[in-house]
Amino acid sequence: MLVPLYEAVYERLEVRSGTRVLGLGCGSGLALLLATARGARVTGVEADRERLALARERLRAEDERDGSARRPGGTGSGARRRSGTLLPAERMADAVAEDGGSGGEPRAGYDLITAFQPIGSVPGDARGLEPALRAAIPLAGHGTPVVLAGWGPPERCATDAVLRVAGRLADRLRKGVRRPAYRDDLEDVAARAGLKPDGSGRVACPFGYADRESAVRGLLSTGVFDGAIRATDRRQVEKEIGEALHPHLRRDGTVWMPNVFRYLIARTP
């Protein structure tokens, strides 16, 4: 659902063949996949093992399709192009070595660092991002752009009302409670990580689903509702999400929620 955000950032920062991208909290790898489509070399870091496995599968499938396309007629095994490396979060220090040259020597620093997981999605994400940023900064040269993302104003994000279900349910345990993103969250995170802001933008990213069931599954996959599930149970959370989606159901049964996301471009010291 955040494809317009990824594409807007890549276009603005001229991601192309040869660009080396480090994606923090890369999730299931969609943003990395879009970068490889522009010819970039990518390294993704993700703490969630299931999402990391999905990201690996996506990049592997893309490499295999690319190799097949290089064969005459577009078929055959082809030489696979290894377009990226994916690492669990605890192996952040290996990011340069894993993406080294043919002799295994580390190459020059990354050209772009992204943290596309929107601040305000899960509890404590703003604070949790800072250690990852500090670990990533030494992997890039002076003045390298670092992109942070966050939800836009609640009044411009239809999904915000649905996400509030997570906070209401999780509050029963007094932990894991989501709060909305605030206006200066991105700047605050950048400042605490030692980054210097250098521009920002807003991008419309509507969330669209084929039906209510697909919307519930998609929203649960974000991790926003993990605390709510711990506080109650999955079936109850699914029920309340479904009810909160009612205002966004269209006559044909699809779900449509217009949203605005904000991104900040900061520079490494």
Side-chain angles (χ1 to χ4, degrees), residues 48-257:
D48 186 281
R49 297 288 179 159
E50 291 185 6
R51 291 173 188 163
L52 186 64
L54 179 55
R56 283 195 175 116
E57 184 58 34
R58 277 179 157 171
L59 284 181
R60 184 182 302 116
E62 181 64 19
D63 286 345
E64 290 173 350
R65 280 194 296 270
D66 182 74
S68 178
R70 291 170 185 268
R71 299 286 292 177
T75 60
S77 58
R80 287 178 57 186
R81 176 179 64 90
R82 191 165 180 266
S83 57
T85 299
L86 291 161
L87 300 169
E90 65 269 19
R91 290 185 57 196
M92 169 78 79
D94 296 336
V96 172
E98 289 282 347
D99 200 32
S102 58
E105 301 85 359
R107 296 172 56 189
Y110 288 96
D111 305 303
L112 170 63
I113 298 172
T114 62
F116 279 131
Q117 176 67 38
I119 290 174
S121 292
V122 295
D125 50 11
R127 287 286 181 183
L129 179 58
E130 293 168 33
L133 288 172
R134 293 194 187 98
I137 287 172
L139 305 179
H142 168 71
T144 297
V146 179
V147 178
L148 310 178
W151 288 83
E155 65 272 13
R156 298 193 61 187
C157 295
T159 309
D160 184 74
V162 181
L163 297 181
R164 283 202 296 269
V165 170
R168 186 177 72 251
L169 293 175
D171 190 53
R172 297 176 189 176
L173 287 183
R174 298 291 177 183
K175 66 179 181 180
V177 181
R178 175 188 175 268
R179 70 162 178 80
Y182 297 142
R183 182 185 177 201
D184 297 324
D185 272 352
L186 301 182
E187 284 79 2
D188 290 345
V189 171
R192 290 195 295 266
L195 301 168
K196 182 179 180 180
D198 188 33
S200 63
R202 289 187 176 184
V203 183
C205 296
F207 286 13
Y209 300 93
D211 50 46
R212 181 156 34 186
E213 291 71 25
S214 299
V216 171
R217 289 195 302 271
L219 291 166
L220 285 174
S221 71
T222 64
V224 175
F225 295 89
D226 290 353
I229 291 173
R230 290 193 298 269
T232 55
D233 64 74
R234 187 181 181 91
R235 185 172 298 179
Q236 178 66 20
V237 174
E238 289 176 347
K239 177 179 179 293
E240 298 212 22
I241 293 175
E243 292 173 352
L245 287 170
H246 183 75
H248 310 294
L249 278 172
R250 300 196 290 191
R251 290 184 177 180
D252 60 0
T254 59
V255 175
W256 186 257
M257 295 178 286

